[in-house]
Amino acid sequence: NAGVTQTPKFQVLKTGQSMTLQCAQDMNHNSMYWYRQDPGMGLRLIYYSASEGTTDKGEVPNGYNVSRLNKREFSLRLESAAPSQTSVYFCASSEDSWFNSPLHFGNGTRLTVT
Amino acid sequence: QKEVEQNSGPLSVPEGAIASLNCTYSDRVSQSFFWYRQYSGKSPELIMSIYSNGDKEDGRFTAQLNKASQYVSLLIRDSQPSDSATYLCAVVTGNQFYFGTGTSLTVIP
């Protein structure tokens, strides 16, 4: 049982380049999330998808777009990368978006924008 | 802005001692509370969840919740060097998770 799988694990981009971070879960969860983690800032929500077909902005959505491709997959796109987007990105899923469903995290993508 | 506050540490305890990690939150209507452990360079993993006032025990871990004081804590008994990690407090309000910045714990052999 793989849980939440993220690709790639590492990525280096130049300012202005674009890329898509991929995330897939095999736990039949309804809700999926993208977080970024920066030193001293904790985990901050970028976008989430409460259920297939829906997406909503989180705390720090600027510069990002998402697609909930199907129930399993939720991708995050950086259209024009900026150095401020250097971070560790985590995808997570939960059974649903009700308050008692814990998040299960993928292994993360370490992104550096030069 | 929902706030979740944790002492960043570092917290150092000797092997076999009790480690006490604390978290306060600002929103009185917060409903669920989780503790995650994160090893350096790894992703957060769920340790405990607690939803009602009081204590909840799971092995060497005990979570304590006091909604009136807006306070949640994690006790680790018989601390082991393998417990050395950053511990993240997560508070759920509505359908949103809010994370503290984490407390770094070092267990000294």
Side-chain angles (χ1 to χ4, degrees):
Chain A
N1 190 340
V4 181
T5 303
Q6 290 182 237
T7 57
K9 293 183 179 180
F10 301 93
Q11 184 71 51
V12 179
L13 292 177
K14 295 184 186 298
T15 297
Q17 288 185 319
S18 62
M19 78 162 296
T20 299
L21 282 65
Q22 306 287 353
C23 176
Q25 53 90 11
D26 62 4
M27 295 178 284
N28 201 36
H29 284 173
N30 290 307
S31 302
M32 299 185 73
Y33 308 78
W34 277 104
Y35 285 87
R36 60 178 290 174
Q37 187 174 38
D38 303 289
M41 300 292 290
L43 284 159
R44 292 182 293 169
L45 182 64
I46 305 171
Y47 271 94
Y48 69 100
S49 172
S51 61
E52 186 178 357
T54 69
T55 60
D56 286 287
K57 295 179 180 179
E59 181 183 355
V60 289
N62 292 342
Y64 305 95
N65 286 299
V66 291
S67 296
R68 183 74 183 266
L69 304 171
N70 48 55
K71 189 172 184 178
R72 291 186 62 249
E73 299 174 286
F74 188 39
S75 64
L76 178 72
R77 182 160 178 83
L78 287 70
E79 291 291 351
S80 179
S84 61
Q85 294 178 306
T86 293
S87 188
V88 180
Y89 291 84
F90 289 104
C91 178
S93 70
S94 65
E95 187 170 346
D96 55 45
S97 61
W98 290 106
F99 64 90
N100 61 349
S101 294
L103 297 178
H104 300 266
F105 287 89
N107 288 331
T109 296
R110 283 148 185 80
L111 175 65
T112 301
V113 183
T114 62
Chain B
Q1 178 72 23
K2 316 296 184 187
E3 291 188 354
V4 179
E5 300 287 340
Q6 294 182 256
N7 187 330
S8 62
L11 173 66
S12 295
V13 299
E15 184 174 355
I18 296 175
S20 178
L21 305 162
N22 304 316
C23 174
T24 59
Y25 59 95
S26 62
D27 195 326
R28 287 191 172 275
V29 300
S30 296
Q31 300 143 300
S32 306
F33 308 86
F34 301 91
W35 283 99
Y36 286 82
R37 177 176 63 200
Q38 186 174 26
Y39 292 113
S40 180
K42 302 297 185 182
S43 59
E45 57 178 322
L46 180 68
I47 298 176
M48 293 283 290
S49 60
I50 187 165
Y51 308 109
S52 56
N53 282 328
D55 295 359
K56 179 181 178 182
E57 187 174 319
D58 184 359
R60 296 186 296 111
F61 298 98
T62 299
Q64 300 174 317
L65 175 61
N66 183 326
K67 290 187 176 181
S69 300
Q70 295 174 230
Y71 175 93
V72 58
S73 65
L74 179 70
L75 300 178
I76 306 175
R77 290 182 300 281
D78 188 24
S79 295
Q80 300 297 309
S82 58
D83 295 326
S84 298
T86 296
Y87 290 79
L88 306 176
C89 172
V91 174
V92 181
T93 305
N95 64 353
Q96 294 285 322
F97 278 74
Y98 298 92
F99 285 86
T101 55
T103 299
S104 175
L105 171 67
T106 300
V107 180
I108 303 167

